[in-house]
Amino acid sequence: MLTAQEVRDVANAGGQIIVSPNFDADVVAQTKALKLASWPGVLTPSECFAALKAGADGLKIFPCSVVGPAGVKAMRAVLPAQTAVYAVGGAGPANFAEWFKAGITGFGIGTALYQPGSALPELRKAAQEIISAYDSAHP
């Protein structure tokens, strides 16, 4: 979600989690005012700390491919230990183990799971591969 109005729309539809591609303090504030979970997209330590200060429940490193596991590991060294951090935009079955070693809590999976026009058998196969890779890599 990109705007406070979109947050209200999600709340009115019964949603409980707000995920954004960016950090916007107004979006986080509206999310928390409506007692929803806030997961803003962040890329730098400054954005991480600003999002947490604004009340974010966790962080979505996006696009994680830009900072890579080494960058996330460096950020985890300074973030509060209890912070949930998800890798989105570059994490997938081939590199789950690397991300876990860097301190990632979990993943947001998009194109590794679904490409527009994919048939159900392709989606099923991708989902099975993702689950298997996750289970193998999870500490």
Side-chain angles (χ1 to χ4, degrees), residues 19-20 39-43 58-73 75-76 83-93 95-112 130 134:
V19 179
S20 301
W39 290 84
V42 294
L43 192 60
L59 304 172
K60 176 185 118 177
I61 306 295
F62 178 77
C64 66
S65 60
V66 173
V67 296
V72 168
K73 184 176 181 179
M75 284 191 268
R76 286 301 267 169
T83 304
V85 180
Y86 281 68
V88 180
N95 59 15
F96 283 153
E98 292 174 60
W99 289 106
F100 277 129
K101 287 177 188 169
I104 286 295
T105 308
F107 306 94
I109 303 297
T111 56
I130 289 167
Y134 179 90

Side-chain angles (χ1 to χ4, degrees), residues 14-65:
Q16 298 178 8
I17 300 172
I18 300 298
V19 179
S20 301
N22 65 318
F23 164 63
D24 182 305
D26 292 335
V27 169
V28 174
Q30 182 66 74
T31 300
K32 300 315 296 175
L34 295 172
K35 300 187 183 337
L36 305 177
S38 173
W39 290 84
V42 294
L43 192 60
T44 68
S46 294
E47 287 179 318
C48 292
F49 283 106
L52 293 172
K53 184 176 180 180
D57 294 283
L59 304 172
K60 176 185 118 177
I61 306 295
F62 178 77
C64 66
S65 60

